[in-house]
């Protein structure tokens, strides 16, 4: 099982090498093996006696992060969708993408996504889950921006990344909270502690964070804005990521945590409201679109809203219907995306206003679309799977659990109406999609290409999905016990027995379906009469503008802020760095009571040293006030020679010698450079700068004094110097301990020191040579 | 004595930093020299001053001053010498190329 998660990634590494043969063999053929293999591996788990399987490999044991994989009914449903649709999409893409495209990139991203998505649905460890979750966002970003020469692609990619990663991060916060409270990183173990979690003070926060992650990923209102722009991706990607799998990751998350979260009444309220609003808004907006893929995008949004709402309802029927609809939606929406891709591919246009009457040119495609759209609309026919789940949706909307809050009671009354409202528009856009494209009079002459039927390879994948629609429609119970029941059980935590049947009699849900079809047909036929309503709602106001405004403001504000302190002046940067050091050190030392002063162990004070110190202090200040080059250098020399005198007094003969030599050479160097360097000028800074600079300088000096005194006063460990003194003779045969330390015991340090000097010498040489060459040229 | 030396080290740091914050290249180099001198003194003070003989082993002497700070300072002196000389040549080149030794005028075009 672990191998299957990483299998696509392994192949992804090989793909760039195989891409070399793309002239002869389409790279997609190699990629196709992966999902197909995974699908065949997992399909054997289907059966009535399915038991969850788990597998564990330590990854970061010290942080309790294991590669924990757990396959239950819910994961199985998703794994089969990911690999099944994945295989079909890969097959489709072989015919959709021309060999001249950057196939290597495409399949690497696609396989990367496959791994990530499998990881999300199979992980039992929350942090592993999170890692895979973000990887799906990243691969989705790469795939949306696949045609990166298009401005719209880049815009869409960035938008999806910003929205989903925002959600991902908040989900991460939720997961961290969860793992701290439950002291485990395993989801299954968290579920066992749900009673404790429900009463925890942080529960509302956890729920908010997790739901934010789910809502952004699954494009729920108001975060749905990224999905229509994600349609800039190649159509196979849209079919795969942005309809069948990735956008359902949010649904998966809610389903996975619903045993914990659904204990709270607020879960019902929030998830149902968001789901229902998304359903209505998505289907309402879909009717307005003119681009085939845009219609499908909004339709996906609304369908996701519907599934989300059912998870929110949390009743047995609802949870079962949610699992059922996840499967059904993948079949009909997948096939419809592929149909849209075929239309685009064969006519060169996706604009529904230009298209029309394509039935004669693309009869097979049109037939496939017929099944897809009618199933999506929920037309009551016994061979369309969409009808069953829609019927169950109505059924669950009518039988909501009672709650203690008034809001719950209100929702119980409103939700059935909203469900019907959303479904009416679903019906309208489904009809619009089919009849607008394939019937009526189209302006065939104005299309960029002369339409003709697609190659067989492009027709097979949607055909397989349509066969799925019909098979599930005819024999719904085929997938019931062996498959869906396990998924529903994993979501709700209890065993569910649901019978799927076409005919229940004239029940309220059936009447709702009839209402939908009736009103839907009327609205569709007279759609030109009421289209004006879109000028009023949403009108000029749109969430996209909010997004654009936010993005623009963030950019301009952060650029202004950065320019505020990054003004190019190095002295400003130095001042900022020093201030930071000061603040951090003072705070830290203050809090840990690091400043100490111990006067018991001090050397005696002698007049000689004090006089030297006073001379040095005067000289040090002199460098600031001197405006004469020579004077400044000589004063600096005074400080240097003062130090070497101090070294003599403090029994450091080697230091004194070195310092003397270095000081002499330095002064000589300074004097050499003087000739060329401009004269020192009076400090012309403003008074304010001077005060700030002196404040920084004084506090830094004080800080260093305090640190020096504290470090002298607090001896926490025995110095290791004794070791050097004792072993110097024995180990290195040297009397001068300082020399032994330098050349023997810390020999490598000295070697590197010499290297540094060498580099400095090279630099100096280079700088001087550079001048000579240039001057020679001139 | 250690306290006086600490104050001296602090003063060297303070004056060094003040010079470092100036605009003129030469002042900045003077600042770095002062800071490294301060650092040497700082390291020396961290050990114990004037307790025992210089760390050169001789018969009959058991009490030596701490050799470790001395070794560290020796390394540091040499390195800071390298840094100072490189800085000097660099400053010289920079002021020659740019016709100015004012840091504020060397900011590059994007800030003007």
């Amino acid at each position: 099982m672990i191998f299957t998660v990483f299998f696509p990634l392994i192949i992804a590494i090989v793909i760039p090498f195989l891409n070399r043969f793309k002239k002869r063999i389409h790279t997609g053929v190699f990629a196709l093996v992966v999902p197909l293999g995974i699908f065949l591996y997992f399909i054997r788990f289907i059966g009535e006696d399915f038991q969850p399987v788990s597998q564990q490999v330590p990854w970061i044991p010290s942080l309790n992060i294991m590669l924990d994989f757990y396959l239950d009914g819910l994961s199985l449903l998703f794994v089969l969708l990911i690999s099944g649709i994945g295989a079909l999409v890969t097959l489709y893409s072989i015919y959709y993408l021309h060999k001249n495209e950057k196939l290597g990139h495409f399949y690497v991203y696609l396989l990367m996504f496959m791994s990530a998505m499998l990881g999300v649905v199979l992980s039992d460890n929350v942090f592993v889950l999170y890692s895979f979750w973000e990887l799906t966002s990243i691969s989705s970003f790469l795939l949306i921006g696949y045609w990166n020469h298009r401005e719209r692609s880049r815009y869409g990619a960035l938008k999806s990344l910003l929205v989903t990663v925002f959600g991902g991060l908040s989900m991460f916060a939720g997961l961290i909270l969860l793992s701290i409270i439950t002291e485990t990183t395993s989801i299954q173990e968290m579920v066992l502690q749900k009673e404790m979690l429900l009463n925890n003070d942080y529960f509302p926060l956890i729920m908010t964070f997790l739901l934010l992650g789910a809502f952004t990923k699954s494009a729920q209102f108001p975060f749905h804005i990224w999905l229509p722009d994600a349609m800039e991706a190649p159509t196979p990607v849209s079919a795969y990521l942005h309809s069948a799998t990735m956008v359902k990751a949010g649904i998966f998350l809610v389903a996975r945590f619903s045993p914990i979260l659904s204990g709270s009444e607020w879960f019902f309220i929030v998830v149902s409201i968001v789901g229902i609003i998304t359903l209505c808004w998505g289907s309402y907006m879909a009717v307005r679109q003119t681009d085939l893929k845009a219609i499908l995008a909004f339709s996906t949004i609304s369908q996701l809203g519907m599934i989300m709402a059912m998870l929110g309802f949390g009743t047995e029927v609802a949870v079962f219907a949610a699992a059922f609809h996840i499967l059904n939606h993948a079949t009909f929406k997948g096939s419809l995306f592929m149909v849209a891709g075929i239309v685009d591919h064969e006519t060169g246009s996706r604009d529904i206003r230009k298209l029309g009457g394509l039935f004669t040119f693309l009869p097979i495609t049109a037939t496939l679309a017929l099944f897809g759209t009618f199933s999506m609309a929920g037309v009551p026919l016994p061979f369309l799977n969409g009808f069953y789940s829609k019927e169950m949706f109505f059924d669950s909307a009518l039988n909501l659990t009672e709650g203690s809050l008034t809001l719950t009671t209100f929702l119980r009354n409103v939700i059935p109406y909203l469900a019907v409202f959303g479904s009416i528009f679903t019906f309208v856009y489904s009809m619009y999609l089919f009849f607008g494209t394939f019937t009526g009079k189209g302006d065939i002459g104005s299309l960029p290409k002369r339409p003709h039927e697609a190659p067989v390879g492009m027709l097979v994948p949607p055909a397989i999905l349509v066969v799925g629609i019909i098979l599930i429609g005819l024999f719904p119970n085929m997938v019931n016990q062996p498959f869906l029941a396990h998924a529903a059980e994993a979501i709700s935590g209890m065993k569910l027995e649901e019978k799927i049947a076409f005919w229940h009699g004239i029940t309220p849900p059936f009447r709702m379906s009839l209402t939908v079809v009736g009103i839907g047909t009327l609205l569709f036929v007279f759609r030109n009469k009421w289209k004006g309503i879109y000028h009023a709602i949403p009108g000029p106001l749109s969430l996209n503008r909010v997004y654009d405004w936010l993005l623009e403001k963030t950019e301009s504000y952060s650029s202004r802020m950065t320019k505020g302190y990054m003004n190019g002046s190095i002295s400003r940067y130095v001042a900022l760095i020093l201030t930071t050091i000061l603040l951090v050190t003072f705070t830290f030392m203050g809090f840990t009571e690091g400043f100490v002063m111990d006067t018991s162990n001090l050397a005696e004070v002698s007049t000689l040293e004090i006089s030297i110190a006073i001379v040095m202090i005067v000289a040090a200040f002199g460098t600031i006030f001197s405006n004469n080059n020579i004077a400044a250098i000589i004063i600096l020399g005074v400080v240097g020679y003062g130090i070497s005198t101090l070294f003599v007094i403090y029994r450091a003969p080697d230091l004194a010698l070195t310092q003397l030599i270095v000081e002499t050479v330095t002064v000589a160097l300074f004097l050499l450079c003087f000739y060329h360097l401009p004269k020192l000028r009076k400090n012309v800074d403003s008074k304010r700068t001077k005060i700030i600079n002196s404040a920084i300088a004084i506090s830094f000096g004080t800080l260093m004094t305090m640190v020096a005194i504290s470090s002298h006063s607090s001896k926490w460990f025995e110095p290791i110097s004794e070791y050097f003194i004792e072993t110097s003779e024995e180990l290195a045969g040297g009397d001068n301990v300082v020399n032994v330390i330098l050349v023997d015991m810390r020999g490598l340090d000295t070697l590197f020191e010499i290297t540094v000097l060498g580099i400095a010498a090279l630099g100096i040489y280079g700088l001087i040579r550079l001048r000579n060459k240039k001057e020679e040229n001139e | 004595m250690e306290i006086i030396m600490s104050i001296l080290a602090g003063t060297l740091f303070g004056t060094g930093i003040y010079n470092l914050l100036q605009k003129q290249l030469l002042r900045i180099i003077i600042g770095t020299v002062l800071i490294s001198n301060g650092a040497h003194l700082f390291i020396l003070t961290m050990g114990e001053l004037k307790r025992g003989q210089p760390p050169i082993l001789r018969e009959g002497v058991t009490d030596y001053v701490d050799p470790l700070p001395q070794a560290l300072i020796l390394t540091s002196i040499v390195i800071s010498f390298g840094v100072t000389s490189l800085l000097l040549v660099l400053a010289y080149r920079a002021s020659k190329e740019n016709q100015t030794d004012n840091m504020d005028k060397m900011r590059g075009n994007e800030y003007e």
Side-chain angles (χ1 to χ4, degrees):
Chain A
M1 191 156 75
I2 287 183
F3 177 70
T4 53
V5 173
F6 292 103
F7 183 45
L9 267 188
I10 298 167
I11 299 296
I13 296 170
V14 190
I15 286 284
F17 300 103
L18 296 173
N19 198 30
R20 193 173 303 185
F21 310 111
K22 76 172 181 185
K23 286 273 172 310
R24 271 177 291 155
I25 309 171
H26 197 283
T27 320
V29 178
F30 302 109
L32 180 60
V33 181
V34 180
L36 207 59
I38 297 174
F39 185 75
L40 292 176
Y41 174 80
F42 278 105
I43 197 148
R44 67 196 170 92
F45 285 102
I46 293 186
E48 283 190 31
D49 51 351
F50 167 77
Q51 289 297 325
V53 190
S54 66
Q55 206 174 356
Q56 193 180 52
V57 173
W59 182 26
I60 317 174
S62 53
L63 291 177
N64 199 9
I65 296 178
M66 310 281 183
L67 285 177
D68 242 345
F69 291 104
Y70 179 69
L71 179 78
D72 61 358
L74 182 64
S75 318
L76 187 63
L77 171 66
F78 273 92
V79 165
L80 288 177
L81 278 184
I82 295 162
S83 54
I85 307 277
L88 296 177
V89 160
T90 317
L91 176 63
Y92 180 82
S93 70
I94 294 175
Y95 297 88
Y96 184 83
L97 287 175
H98 196 265
K99 282 182 181 175
N100 295 341
E101 304 266 11
K102 292 172 290 181
L103 293 180
H105 293 70
F106 181 79
Y107 287 106
V108 167
Y109 302 156
L110 200 70
L111 289 171
M112 190 165 105
F113 168 75
M114 239 176 250
S115 261
M117 197 62 212
L118 286 171
V120 166
V121 299
L122 286 172
S123 297
D124 186 47
N125 187 299
V126 286
F127 296 116
V128 178
L129 175 97
Y130 172 74
S131 317
F132 283 120
W133 179 280
E134 293 295 36
L135 192 59
T136 62
S137 296
I138 293 167
S139 44
S140 153
F141 167 79
L142 290 169
L143 284 166
I144 298 171
Y146 175 64
W147 284 315
N148 53 21
H149 53 274
R150 296 186 189 166
E151 203 270 327
R152 292 297 304 173
S153 291
R154 296 198 301 270
Y155 173 78
L158 182 66
K159 198 174 190 177
S160 80
L161 190 75
L162 286 178
V163 175
T164 52
V165 167
F166 158 73
L169 283 176
S170 74
M171 178 185 100
F172 191 38
L175 295 178
I176 292 176
L177 273 179
L178 260 179
S179 71
I180 291 175
I181 295 171
T182 57
E183 293 176 341
T184 171
T185 51
S186 155
I187 298 172
Q188 289 178 79
E189 285 169 32
M190 286 173 184
V191 171
L192 295 177
Q193 304 181 40
K194 61 181 169 189
E195 294 301 322
M196 186 269 281
L197 275 170
L198 276 176
N199 298 318
N200 195 291
D201 290 342
Y202 288 103
F203 183 78
L205 263 184
I206 293 175
M207 192 166 88
T208 316
F209 283 144
L210 288 184
L211 289 183
L212 262 179
F215 290 164
T216 49
K217 198 77 166 178
S218 283
Q220 298 296 298
F221 188 89
F223 304 111
H224 64 277
I225 49 166
W226 68 268
L227 195 60
D229 285 302
M231 292 300 136
E232 290 300 323
T235 304
V237 172
S238 310
Y240 190 34
L241 272 73
H242 305 124
S243 125
T245 56
M246 190 186 87
V247 286
K248 293 208 179 100
I251 305 262
F252 172 82
L253 188 81
V254 172
R256 183 50 97 210
F257 283 98
S258 85
I260 300 175
L261 300 179
S262 60
S264 157
E265 204 170 323
W266 282 102
F267 174 78
F268 162 72
I269 293 171
V270 174
V271 179
S272 307
I273 289 183
V274 170
I276 282 283
I277 290 180
T278 312
L279 164 67
C280 296
W281 185 252
S283 56
Y284 172 73
M285 290 298 286
V287 183
R288 183 200 192 193
Q289 307 302 317
T290 52
D291 181 351
L292 284 187
K293 281 180 82 177
I295 300 175
L296 289 173
F298 277 103
S299 130
T300 307
I301 292 170
S302 94
Q303 302 277 337
L304 291 169
M306 177 175 146
I307 303 175
M308 197 59 97
M310 288 193 274
L311 288 175
F313 298 166
T315 53
E316 287 188 18
V317 190
V319 166
F320 186 85
F324 195 20
H325 201 69
I326 290 172
L327 177 67
N328 293 343
H329 177 248
T331 55
F332 62 68
K333 191 55 62 64
S335 63
L336 284 177
F337 262 111
M338 290 179 189
V339 164
I342 292 175
V343 170
D344 185 16
H345 204 257
E346 304 306 329
T347 66
S349 173
R350 292 196 314 241
D351 193 332
I352 200 159
R353 288 167 299 186
K354 288 188 194 162
L355 299 167
L358 287 177
F359 205 104
T360 34
F361 298 95
L362 303 154
I364 306 174
T365 314
T367 316
L368 297 175
L370 183 71
F371 283 104
T373 46
F374 276 65
S375 176
M376 179 159 77
V379 177
L381 289 169
F383 52 83
L384 295 175
N385 60 1
F387 168 68
Y388 293 94
S389 37
K390 180 136 294 174
E391 188 94 332
M392 288 176 131
F393 170 59
F394 288 144
D395 187 16
S396 59
L398 287 170
N399 297 302
L400 295 171
T401 38
E402 289 184 35
S404 50
L405 297 168
T406 32
L407 200 53
T408 318
T409 325
F410 171 71
L411 282 178
R412 275 168 54 95
N413 295 327
V414 175
I415 281 177
Y417 294 101
L418 288 174
V420 171
F421 176 82
S423 305
I424 290 174
F425 280 96
T426 307
F427 184 85
V428 175
Y429 72 67
S430 303
M431 295 305 118
Y432 173 50
L433 187 67
F434 178 75
F435 291 107
T437 315
F438 295 103
T439 63
K441 271 209 167 120
D443 194 359
I444 303 295
S446 74
L447 293 173
K449 284 186 196 171
R450 221 195 118 61
H452 57 86
E453 191 56 89
V456 182
M458 272 178 109
L459 288 172
V460 167
I464 293 177
L465 287 173
V466 167
V467 168
I469 294 176
I470 298 170
L471 275 181
I472 299 174
L474 287 176
F475 313 106
N477 287 307
M478 181 183 70
V479 288
N480 184 346
Q481 287 302 329
F483 191 37
L484 293 175
H486 295 300
E489 187 188 333
I491 301 173
S492 66
M494 36 190 170
K495 206 139 183 74
L496 295 179
E497 294 281 339
E498 278 305 321
K499 275 271 170 284
I500 315 175
F502 175 67
W503 182 248
H504 294 279
I506 310 280
T507 49
F510 190 70
R511 271 188 298 233
M512 285 161 93
S513 285
L514 288 183
T515 317
V516 167
V517 174
I519 300 182
T521 316
L522 282 177
L523 280 180
F524 171 67
V525 173
F526 299 109
R527 67 184 183 281
N528 289 329
K529 297 255 177 356
W530 56 270
K531 271 207 158 167
I533 195 172
Y534 286 107
H535 291 297
I537 310 167
L541 273 174
S542 91
L543 285 162
N544 274 320
R545 294 201 180 184
V546 177
Y547 166 83
D548 290 339
W549 179 82
L550 263 180
L551 197 65
E552 195 186 312
K553 283 293 158 207
T554 321
E555 275 176 9
S556 65
Y557 179 74
S558 70
S559 128
R560 233 182 320 145
M561 204 170 118
T562 314
K563 284 213 180 101
Y565 61 86
M566 300 283 283
N567 63 350
S569 156
I570 303 223
S571 39
R572 167 82 78 91
Y573 297 166
V574 174
L576 280 175
I577 293 170
L578 290 174
T579 320
T580 317
I581 297 177
L582 278 173
L583 283 177
V584 170
T585 323
F586 267 118
T587 332
F588 182 75
M589 295 284 272
F591 271 109
T592 54
E593 291 169 2
F595 291 122
V596 280
M597 189 159 163
D598 175 15
T599 47
S600 62
N601 184 22
L602 294 176
E604 78 278 17
V605 180
S606 82
T607 341
L608 178 62
E609 287 157 71
I610 289 191
S611 12
I612 295 172
I614 288 171
V615 169
M616 282 175 70
I617 289 174
V618 171
F621 278 103
T623 56
I624 295 173
F625 299 107
S626 151
N627 292 324
N628 180 305
N629 283 15
I630 305 279
I633 299 307
I634 292 176
I635 298 171
L636 193 62
V638 170
V639 177
Y641 290 119
I643 289 241
S644 49
T645 328
L646 283 179
F647 285 152
V648 173
I649 297 172
Y650 294 135
R651 325 278 206 269
D654 299 288
L655 293 191
L657 282 173
T658 322
Q659 178 73 26
L660 265 178
I661 298 167
V662 164
E663 200 51 46
T664 314
V665 180
T666 312
V667 170
L669 252 178
F670 265 106
L671 288 172
L672 264 177
C673 280
F674 262 9
Y675 178 71
H676 302 284
L677 275 175
K679 293 272 177 295
L680 281 176
R681 288 177 304 270
K682 224 170 131 42
N683 187 350
V684 286
D685 284 340
S686 66
K687 201 158 190 184
R688 192 165 152 265
T689 325
K690 274 186 185 167
I691 292 173
I692 293 174
N693 285 355
S694 349
I696 294 175
I698 292 171
S699 12
F700 209 87
T702 322
L703 175 73
M704 290 320 281
T705 308
M706 285 164 84
V707 172
I709 295 173
S710 315
S711 74
H712 179 77
S713 311
S714 48
K715 294 268 182 281
W716 289 15
F717 307 102
E718 276 301 301
I720 53 168
S721 318
E722 274 311 303
Y723 169 82
F724 292 117
I725 293 171
E726 277 163 21
T727 54
S728 157
E729 175 86 64
E730 183 189 330
L731 289 179
D735 288 339
N736 188 330
V737 185
V738 176
N739 285 2
V740 166
I741 293 177
L742 281 177
V743 298
D744 203 309
M745 304 197 169
R746 319 260 344 133
L748 267 183
D749 280 3
T750 314
L751 187 70
F752 287 128
E753 182 194 344
I754 295 168
T755 319
V756 169
L757 277 189
I759 293 169
L762 278 177
I764 292 168
Y765 179 74
L767 283 169
I768 294 170
R769 284 288 294 177
L770 211 69
R771 178 199 59 172
N772 286 348
K773 274 212 180 126
K774 207 173 171 188
E775 278 172 6
E776 276 163 23
N777 291 343
E778 272 165 9
Chain B
M1 202 64 235
E2 276 88 347
I3 288 167
I4 295 171
M5 284 301 123
S6 302
I7 292 169
L8 178 57
T11 315
L12 289 179
F13 266 105
T15 48
I17 297 271
Y18 190 83
N19 274 313
L20 195 67
L21 290 170
Q22 303 293 305
K23 305 281 187 294
Q24 242 185 317
L25 280 173
L26 194 61
R27 286 227 194 265
I28 293 174
I29 302 172
I30 292 176
T32 55
V33 174
L34 284 175
I35 290 175
S36 44
N37 279 335
H40 302 157
L41 214 55
F42 179 84
I43 300 174
L44 197 70
T45 324
M46 281 168 94
E48 293 181 332
L49 294 178
K50 297 200 287 188
R51 313 286 200 312
Q53 297 294 313
I56 295 165
L57 301 176
R58 269 173 302 171
E59 292 277 331
V61 181
T62 47
D63 207 11
Y64 298 100
V65 294
D66 196 339
L68 193 58
Q70 296 194 13
L72 293 178
I73 294 167
L74 200 61
T75 313
S76 168
I77 290 175
V78 179
I79 295 277
S80 51
F81 167 65
V83 170
T84 311
S85 21
L86 184 68
L87 272 181
L88 268 174
V89 180
L90 197 63
Y92 153 70
R93 285 295 298 167
S95 61
K96 201 100 203 193
E97 294 288 326
N98 299 313
Q99 303 295 328
T100 176
D101 66 338
N102 188 332
M103 291 306 294
D104 272 356
K105 290 184 182 155
M106 294 188 195
R107 285 198 267 179
N109 299 328
E110 56 184 298
Y111 297 102
E112 279 162 9

